[in-house]
DNA sequence: GCAGAGTTAGTGAACATTAACTAACTTTGT
DNA sequence: ACAAAGTTAGTTAATGTTCACTAACTCTGC
């Protein structure tokens, strides 16, 4: 578990990331915003990588929680995918820093530990969707003449693209509407009518 | 036009980016690899941002060239989209640094000029695809009951996702096959049969 | 009285960039 | 034709800033 201060460090880090980007996440900025000195940070985390790792862990567990919540109800697979779509987007809306983290993979390139953790998170997300797609196909709800692998790619890729557009400051962007329209498009394409 | 040395700086930059990531693109690394001193770089580019801008320009014009080549032939819109798909992927294969550049947007966040250029490139790509989708719909080749905007999002998003997976070192990745399979999946979904 | 959480003051490394200068060309005025 | 003036492309040395991180000390609550 995290101490109060550790949690504060993570929260503040996410705040910084969402406002000025992951580049702005320096120990100096972090300590300034919290209101303590730079070395004080090191009383709570060994080094900066530990902080980034904790951020990714937070990211991972909040995603897991959402999956658990949505996947257990006994909706149809397609409905579950829709819930995950909306759930993810809601999470991004509540915590825009998550978006920055998602697209910051390049920055973690020189740190194998971080890169591995990101790959792990992406893999797990991908597998959950893939399993749902396969289930939907088995139940005759989703077109079965198409490899689940590529359908999964399309589903995740388009969500990422939408988030990217949002992040890039596309004005006239009604979040809820865009998400549901995109999902409806996908649904219309892959559903067995 | 670029002088020989300027071109060499861009080429070497791309080389660095593709091997150790955009983080490794420092004036020191650059000059070392070229075999001149650090200050000598500044005889050819005013500052680092100018270099990055030149890289994006290279990126932009090479994309434009590809579009021109593919869009002028009198194939069907769907076939044109396929060519663009394959053309892009081929370009990435030949020059892996382009992939790194694509996903390095977060790094340019603090530089509005660079960010703007990236938005510009993405916008143009998006508009080309969107026009082709609309044309395909008008000709009754692509399902018309779906907004071209979202189809475009799906097409671009899934290509990006495939590239991302490739970049992340997904082993057992047969490039040509993966691209054509993904495109065939998309085609099967959106085509009017 | 001591451990946990803070402080001040500092370190070394990396970074982009500048200063001052030089050698080797090219241009230009007479 | 040729010397003065200017340009190009490089050098070494240094600057100023930012960064993550550390040593050594102090405060405070149990």
């Amino acid at each position: 578990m995290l101490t109060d201060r550790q949690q504060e460090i993570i929260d503040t880090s996410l705040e910084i990331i969402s406002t000025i980007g992951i580049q702005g996440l320096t120990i100096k900025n972090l300590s300034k915003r919290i209101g303590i000195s730079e070395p004080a940070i090191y009383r709570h985390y060994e080094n900066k990588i530990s902080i980034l790792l904790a951020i990714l862990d937070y990211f991972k567990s909040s995603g897991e929680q959402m999956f658990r919540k949505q996947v257990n109800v006994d909706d149809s697979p397609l409905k579950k995918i829709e819930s995950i779509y909306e759930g993810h987007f809601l999470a991004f809306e509540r915590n825009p820093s998550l978006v920055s983290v998602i697209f910051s993979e390049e920055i973690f390139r020189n740190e194998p530990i971080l890169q591995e953790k990101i790959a792990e998170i992406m893999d797990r997300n991908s597998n959950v969707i893939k399993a749902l797609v396969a289930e939907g196909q088995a139940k005759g709800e989703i077109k079965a003449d198409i490899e689940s692998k590529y359908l999964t790619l399309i589903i995740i890729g388009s969500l990422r693209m939408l988030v990217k557009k949002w992040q890039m400051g596309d004005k006239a962007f009604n979040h809820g509407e865009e998400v549901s329209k995109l999902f409806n498009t996908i649904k219309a394409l892959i559903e067995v009518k």
Side-chain angles (χ1 to χ4, degrees), chain A:
Chain A
M1 260 313 280
L2 301 183
T3 64
D4 286 359
R5 194 57 113 188
Q6 281 177 321
Q7 189 61 54
E8 191 181 7
I9 290 173
I10 298 306
D11 290 343
T12 310
S13 293
L14 288 172
E15 210 178 290
I16 290 172
I17 290 172
S18 69
T19 52
I20 54 173
I22 200 141
Q23 300 243 80
L25 182 62
T26 63
I27 302 296
K28 191 176 185 168
N29 280 342
L30 191 51
S31 57
K32 203 194 295 169
R33 243 188 236 225
I34 292 178
I36 57 177
S37 67
E38 297 176 47
I41 300 289
Y42 292 90
R43 295 277 174 215
H44 307 280
Y45 283 102
E46 204 189 333
N47 51 37
K48 197 182 171 181
I49 290 178
S50 309
I51 297 175
L52 291 168
L53 220 52
I55 290 173
L56 289 179
D57 272 329
Y58 171 79
F59 193 77
K60 187 184 173 190
S61 72
S62 80
E64 255 157 21
Q65 205 183 337
M66 203 182 55
F67 277 134
R68 248 196 304 278
K69 220 181 274 173
Q70 249 106 33
V71 170
N72 276 341
V73 293
D74 53 35
D75 277 333
S76 71
L78 211 49
K79 189 88 193 108
K80 278 182 194 166
I81 294 174
E82 186 174 7
S83 298
I84 288 172
Y85 240 71
E86 278 165 358
H88 263 90
F89 213 79
L90 220 68
F92 292 148
E93 218 168 7
R94 266 199 301 265
N95 205 344
S97 57
L98 297 181
V99 176
S100 299
V101 175
I102 270 205
F103 293 117
S104 296
E105 294 131 0
E106 179 67 24
I107 292 169
F108 301 145
R109 185 153 164 168
N110 42 1
E111 273 307 325
I113 315 158
L114 299 175
Q115 213 185 344
E116 200 181 308
K117 181 135 251 158
I118 286 180
E120 192 188 299
I121 294 173
M122 286 185 72
D123 245 40
R124 197 229 16 208
N125 288 358
S126 183
N127 284 334
V128 171
I129 300 277
K130 197 175 165 191
L132 286 173
V133 168
E135 192 192 332
Q137 290 182 317
K139 287 188 177 171
E141 193 186 325
I142 294 175
K143 287 179 187 165
D145 55 338
I146 289 158
E147 273 186 63
S148 62
K149 180 177 163 187
Y150 298 99
L151 274 187
T152 304
L153 198 96
I154 290 169
I155 290 170
I156 295 178
S158 56
L159 180 58
R160 274 179 74 108
M161 192 69 208
L162 186 65
V163 172
K164 180 97 232 163
K165 277 186 86 172
W166 174 33
Q167 188 204 26
M168 289 189 73
D170 193 340
K171 294 290 178 197
F173 201 99
N174 182 328
H175 307 164
E177 194 190 329
E178 290 288 314
V179 175
S180 74
K181 275 193 170 180
L182 173 61
F183 183 77
N184 283 335
T185 303
I186 290 176
K187 192 178 160 193
L189 292 177
I190 70 173
E191 197 178 20
V192 174
K193 279 141 209 160

